[in-house]
């Protein structure tokens, strides 16, 4: 049928990432149906095996358009960054709690995933991501620098 396979979609994404920076690779993937019988192949982006938060490469194919590869998220970075944290996950969690006296252990509902976070024009950060769910409130996502313990960002789902 002339369609694109998941394996070919993966190759296209790997070629695209390698042209930006050879330290990029792809992580988890999914496939979903799209317009006019097409398919979306969606791939998480990793940098030196660490997930890049809120960034995906999507390969779209249908019989009416050529294959397209699109980046979702802010632009990727070209410079190399260290993925070795200075702080442990527990130290970052302590810094989070010290940043806001309202945050207690019971409100922190995630383990603190180590990831790469791009904050607008501020830069690229190696962070721990914590989900904080105060009682009766929408959860907040805190990004704590794995180097300094600084709160890089505090977001809710609707702010992404």
């Amino acid at each position: 049928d002339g369609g694109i396979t998941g394996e070919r979609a993966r190759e296209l994404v790997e070629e695209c990432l390698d042209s930006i920076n050879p330290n990029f690779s792809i992580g988890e993937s999914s496939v979903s149906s799209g317009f006019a019988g097409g398919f979306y192949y969606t791939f998480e982006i990793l940098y030196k095996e660490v997930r890049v938060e809120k960034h995906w490469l999507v390969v779209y194919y249908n019989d009416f358009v050529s294959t397209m590869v699109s980046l979702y998220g802010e632009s990727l970075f070209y410079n190399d960054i260290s993925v070795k944290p200075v702080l442990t996950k527990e130290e970052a969690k302590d810094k989070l709690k010290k940043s806001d006296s309202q945050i207690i252990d019971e409100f922190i509902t995630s383990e603190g995933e180590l990831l790469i976070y791009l904050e607008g024009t501020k830069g690229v950060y190696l962070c721990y991501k914590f989900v904080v769910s105060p009682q009766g409130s929408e959860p907040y996502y805190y990004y704590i620098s794995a180097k300094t313990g600084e709160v890089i960002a505090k977001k809710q789902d609707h702010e992404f």
Side-chain angles (χ1 to χ4, degrees):
D1 70 341
I4 187 169
T5 64
E7 184 176 320
R8 179 62 186 137
R10 180 174 287 275
E11 289 170 4
L12 287 170
V13 168
E14 287 173 342
E15 290 168 14
C16 178
L17 288 174
D18 195 48
S19 71
I20 296 169
N21 184 319
N23 289 309
F24 284 114
S25 60
I26 53 178
E28 297 289 317
S29 63
S30 64
V31 63
S32 58
S33 32
F35 176 74
F39 292 95
Y40 291 98
Y41 297 95
T42 304
F43 299 90
E44 282 186 337
I45 300 173
L46 305 177
Y47 179 79
K48 296 180 181 177
E49 303 303 316
V50 176
R51 190 171 65 84
V52 180
E53 176 77 339
K54 300 289 181 192
H55 283 72
W56 303 270
L57 275 169
V58 177
V59 176
Y60 178 70
Y61 169 83
N62 75 27
D63 289 333
F64 302 103
V65 297
S66 59
T67 302
M68 296 182 294
V69 179
S70 303
L71 171 68
Y72 290 83
E74 298 179 43
S75 61
L76 292 175
F77 47 95
Y78 291 86
N79 54 319
D80 287 334
I81 65 166
S82 171
V83 293
K84 184 174 181 184
V86 173
L87 302 175
T88 66
K89 197 180 302 187
E90 283 305 312
E91 290 169 329
K93 186 177 180 179
D94 289 342
K95 297 273 189 183
L96 169 61
K97 290 189 292 187
K98 287 178 182 167
S99 75
D100 184 339
S101 62
Q102 304 278 324
I103 298 173
I104 57 175
D105 281 329
E106 292 76 29
F107 292 168
I108 301 173
T109 60
S110 69
E111 292 295 316
E113 177 188 6
L114 184 67
L115 51 76
I116 294 172
Y117 180 76
L118 282 73
E119 176 58 27
T121 58
K122 286 174 62 177
V124 179
Y125 298 92
L126 182 65
C127 290
Y128 289 103
K129 175 185 175 183
F130 292 97
V131 180
V132 178
S133 300
Q135 291 178 328
S137 178
E138 183 179 348
Y140 288 90
Y141 301 90
Y142 283 84
Y143 297 87
I144 308 299
S145 168
K147 182 177 178 183
T148 65
E150 171 190 2
V151 176
I152 301 301
K154 172 186 174 184
K155 303 227 180 234
Q156 290 185 296
D157 272 336
H158 65 274
E159 295 179 281
F160 286 107

